[in-house]
C-alpha cells in the first residue's frame, strides 16, 4: 500500500515554533518533502539543532478535525519520521479521522 498524507510539522523551541509541511508515508513512517515556513534551514540548520529546541509534533488534518502525533528528528541525517509504535497508533486514528463525518 502506497499511502502518503500531507501533514503540518511543528518544531517547538523555548519561545517560538517553527512550522513546516511535509508528506508522511504511512507504510514506513518517513516524512519527506519538508518545507519550512519563514525559516532558512540552510542558514540556521535544523530547528532540532537549536539549543532552545524542545520537541517536534505533527498534525494530520481532515476538514475541521485533526490528529496530533509525535515526530522524531534525526539531526545527523536531517530526517523526520514517526516511530513504529506511534505509526501503528496513528494509522488507527487516521482511519477514524477520514472515515467519520
Amino acid at each position: 500500500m502506497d499511502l502518503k498524507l500531507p501533514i503540518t510539522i511543528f518544531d517547538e523551541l523555548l519561545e517560538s515554533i517553527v512550522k513546516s509541511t511535509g508528506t508522511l508515508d504511512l507504510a514506513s513512517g518517513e516524512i519527506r518533502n519538508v518545507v519550512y515556513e519563514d525559516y532558512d534551514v540552510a542558514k540556521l540548520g535544523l530547528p532540532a539543532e537549536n539549543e532552545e529546541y524542545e520537541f517536534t509534533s505533527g498534525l494530520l488534518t481532515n476538514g475541521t478535525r485533526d490528529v496530533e502525533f509525535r515526530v522524531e528528528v534525526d539531526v545527523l541525517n536531517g530526517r523526520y519520521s514517526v516511530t513504529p509504535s506511534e505509526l501503528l497508533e496513528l494509522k488507527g486514528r487516521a482511519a477514524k479521522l477520514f472515515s467519520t463525518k
Side-chain angles (χ1 to χ4, degrees), residues 7-49:
I7 62 168
T8 304
I9 303 164
F10 301 96
D11 287 293
E12 308 245 355
L13 308 177
L14 275 176
E15 296 189 21
S16 63
I17 297 174
V18 177
K19 185 177 176 183
S20 59
T21 58
T23 305
L24 171 62
D25 183 337
L26 280 179
S28 67
E30 291 181 30
I31 299 171
R32 299 182 184 99
N33 308 318
V34 176
V35 177
Y36 296 91
E37 294 180 10
D38 300 320
Y39 184 85
D40 187 349
V41 72
K43 182 179 177 183
L44 302 170
L46 284 177
E49 294 176 296

Side-chain angles (χ1 to χ4, degrees), residues 51-65:
E51 63 185 34
E52 294 188 353
Y53 173 78
E54 293 187 321
F55 65 93
T56 301
S57 62
L59 190 67
L60 179 60
T61 303
N62 184 22
T64 59
R65 299 173 319 162

